[in-house]
């Protein structure tokens, strides 16, 4: 019995799989197993009562021992039945390098603008990309025969609608919907039928702003623009207004920013120290009328900020086409700006 016990232990040590263990179990405890036969083939009649007793109890011990050891071995063999590949997987290894996604740089600038304007009490709205001729042109004082239509080459759709050429298209929609007083910005995508080059795109982003209230003057416009630019560029912004013509404002201005690279001394980026940045003005009375607002009671200002241009300046991007390129190598560089 001692020999059987040792042999069993030895064989269990060598066993590698559940199948091996099962074979050992059959060999020792099966119907014709070594231990089973030992019990069956022993002629108890030849033994004295004491011998019977001691043999029987030792045999029982052996059986129990064998059953116990086999059960233990079977339990631990389960884990070695797991495929080698998984068994050798080292869960303590350092993880792989996961590439983080990033917001598109224009989205980042847009979110920043939204936060700044929301801080000044502006709503953030959105006009439709597919727009009617009325809202895109007529309602902002650009009638059919107006030369300004030629300045914005338009993608016309077969059903007479168009792709909005500027975010100003949502001005009268906003006035109709909210009345006065109102303050809102509407960032959005604009489309123009243009050939593209490093500084022209047929698809780009603007952020329109509109504030209408009683007694609004150019002073209010200047204050809001200065706050905006100081926050975007994180330092006091110096600006100037030049006369500019846009049919939907009177007077209209080109707002220039004192160049932040050369502090207005003049450099290759700005030329003469000023960067033309935001066209703006006081809302034309006709636009207010289209929005059912009384121009004798209310006045307002509007501006049309080139979001894409602002992103180019902020990040020093020299080719506008990169924004719509879908080139991950470009976008990846903005991962840190999240
Ligand atoms: N909509 C004009 C454009 O796309 C930009 C613009 C100019 C918007 C003056 C304004 C404004 O609100 O006051 O060229």
């Amino acid at each position: 019995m001692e020999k059987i016990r040792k042999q069993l232990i030895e064989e269990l040590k060598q066993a590698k799989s559940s199948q091996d263990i099962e074979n050992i179990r059959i060999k020792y405890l099966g119907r014709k197993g070594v231990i089973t036969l030992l019990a069956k083939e022993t002629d108890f009649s030849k033994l004295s009562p004491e011998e019977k007793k001691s043999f029987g109890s030792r045999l029982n011990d052996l059986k129990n021992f064998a059953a116990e050891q086999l059960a233990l071995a079977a339990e631990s063999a389960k884990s070695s039945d797991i495929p080698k590949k998984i068994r050798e997987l080292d869960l303590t290894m350092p993880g792989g390098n996961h590439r983080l996604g990033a917001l598109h740089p224009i989205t980042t600038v847009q979110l920043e603008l939204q936060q700044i304007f929301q801080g000044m009490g502006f709503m953030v709205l959105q006009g439709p990309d597919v727009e009617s001729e009325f809202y895109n042109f007529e309602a902002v004082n650009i009638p059919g025969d107006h030369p300004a239509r030629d300045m914005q080459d338009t993608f016309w759709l077969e059903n007479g609608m168009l792709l909005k050429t500027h975010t100003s298209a949502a001005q009268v929609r906003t006035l109709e919907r909210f009345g006065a007083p109102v303050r809102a910005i509407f960032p959005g995508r604009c489309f123009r039928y243009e050939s593209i080059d490093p500084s022209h795109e047929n698809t780009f982003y603007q952020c329109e702003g509109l504030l209408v209230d009683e007694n609004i003057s150019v002073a209010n416009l200047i204050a809001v623009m200065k706050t905006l630019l100081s926050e975007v560029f994180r330092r006091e912004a110096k600006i100037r207004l030049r006369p500019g013509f846009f049919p939907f404002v009177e007077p209209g201005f080109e707002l220039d920013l004192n160049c932040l690279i050369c502090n207005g001394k003049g450099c290759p980026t700005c030329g003469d120290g000023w960067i033309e940045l935001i066209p703006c003005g006081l809302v034309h009375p006709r636009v207010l009328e289209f929005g059912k607002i009384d121009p004798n009671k209310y006045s307002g200002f509007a501006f049309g900020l080139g979001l894409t241009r602002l992103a180019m300046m902020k990040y020093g991007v020299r080719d506008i086409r990169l924004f719509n390129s879908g080139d991950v190598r470009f976008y990846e560089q903005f991962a840190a700006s999240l």
Side-chain angles (χ1 to χ4, degrees), residues 1-8 28 34-35 38 62:
M1 275 192 243
E2 202 44 44
K3 237 176 86 188
I4 293 174
R5 181 193 294 263
K6 280 192 178 136
Q7 201 185 330
L8 172 69
Y28 286 86
V34 184
I35 296 173
L38 189 63
L62 179 62

Side-chain angles (χ1 to χ4, degrees), residues 126-153:
Q126 214 180 357
D129 285 344
V130 174
E131 189 50 283
S132 69
E133 185 176 355
F134 174 75
Y135 286 111
N136 195 84
F137 290 124
E138 304 265 337
V140 285
N141 202 24
I142 312 177
D145 53 358
H146 198 287
R149 289 225 180 173
D150 300 336
M151 284 157 53
Q152 301 188 356
D153 287 317

Side-chain angles (χ1 to χ4, degrees), residues 204-276:
F204 55 95
Y205 286 80
Q206 291 184 336
C207 179
E208 191 86 4
L210 178 67
L211 184 150
V212 176
D213 206 334
E214 290 178 41
N215 301 316
I216 295 301
S217 71
V218 176
N220 302 105
L221 169 64
I222 293 174
V224 169
M225 294 294 98
K226 275 190 92 157
T227 307
L228 164 69
L229 293 172
S230 300
E231 295 215 24
V232 168
F233 292 103
R234 302 206 168 81
R235 56 175 152 164
E236 177 94 22
K238 252 207 239 166
I239 60 170
R240 74 174 182 193
L241 294 182
R242 282 181 294 117
F245 174 74
F246 305 96
F248 31 91
V249 280
E250 179 57 40
F253 306 105
E254 291 285 359
L255 184 148
D256 297 341
L257 174 66
N258 196 246
C259 180
L260 297 164
I261 298 168
C262 63
N263 279 321
K265 287 191 198 76
C267 70
T269 303
C270 63
D272 65 349
W274 294 93
I275 291 170
E276 186 179 315

Side-chain angles (χ1 to χ4, degrees), residues 83-320:
K84 192 159 176 273
K85 226 172 143 182
I86 297 178
R87 228 185 316 135
E88 290 177 359
L89 186 70
D90 182 355
L91 294 176
T92 64
M93 290 271 280
N97 244 344
H98 290 281
R99 290 157 91 194
L100 273 186
L103 291 180
H104 191 286
I106 292 185
T107 307
T108 306
V109 175
Q110 180 183 328
L111 291 175
E112 193 177 351
L113 289 183
Q114 289 182 5
Q115 214 173 13
I116 294 168
F117 277 106
Q118 279 171 328
M120 294 191 274
F122 283 71
M123 294 183 283
V124 178
L125 305 174
Q126 214 180 357
D129 285 344
V130 174
E131 189 50 283
S132 69
E133 185 176 355
F134 174 75
Y135 286 111
N136 195 84
F137 290 124
E138 304 265 337
V140 285
N141 202 24
I142 312 177
D145 53 358
H146 198 287
R149 289 225 180 173
D150 300 336
M151 284 157 53
Q152 301 188 356
D153 287 317
T154 308
F155 286 111
W156 291 94
L157 307 181
E158 279 169 3
N159 62 3
M161 301 285 275
L162 52 82
L163 296 181
K164 73 174 191 282
T165 59
H166 54 178
T167 44
S168 307
Q171 281 196 15
V172 169
R173 284 183 178 278
T174 303
L175 295 176
E176 282 177 343
R177 186 166 158 205
F178 294 97
V182 68
R183 38 180 101 176
I185 59 166
F186 2 112
R189 208 147 50 134
C190 304
F191 308 86
R192 289 193 199 168
Y193 187 40
E194 292 196 28
S195 41
I196 61 175
D197 65 35
S199 50
H200 293 91
E201 248 294 358
N202 53 31
T203 306
F204 55 95
Y205 286 80
Q206 291 184 336
C207 179
E208 191 86 4
L210 178 67
L211 184 150
V212 176
D213 206 334
E214 290 178 41
N215 301 316
I216 295 301
S217 71
V218 176
N220 302 105
L221 169 64
I222 293 174
V224 169
M225 294 294 98
K226 275 190 92 157
T227 307
L228 164 69
L229 293 172
S230 300
E231 295 215 24
V232 168
F233 292 103
R234 302 206 168 81
R235 56 175 152 164
E236 177 94 22
K238 252 207 239 166
I239 60 170
R240 74 174 182 193
L241 294 182
R242 282 181 294 117
F245 174 74
F246 305 96
F248 31 91
V249 280
E250 179 57 40
F253 306 105
E254 291 285 359
L255 184 148
D256 297 341
L257 174 66
N258 196 246
C259 180
L260 297 164
I261 298 168
C262 63
N263 279 321
K265 287 191 198 76
C267 70
T269 303
C270 63
D272 65 349
W274 294 93
I275 291 170
E276 186 179 315
L277 199 59
I278 310 179
C280 53
L282 295 188
V283 182
H284 197 289
R286 275 187 62 77
V287 176
L288 291 175
E289 276 168 2
F290 272 116
K292 316 270 185 309
I293 307 286
D294 180 1
N296 296 314
K297 184 166 181 210
Y298 291 102
S299 55
F301 65 77
F303 58 89
L305 197 152
L307 209 58
T308 303
R309 241 189 105 213
L310 191 65
M312 287 176 83
M313 284 201 41
K314 197 171 153 100
Y315 297 118
V317 178
R318 285 176 208 285
D319 192 329
I320 195 172

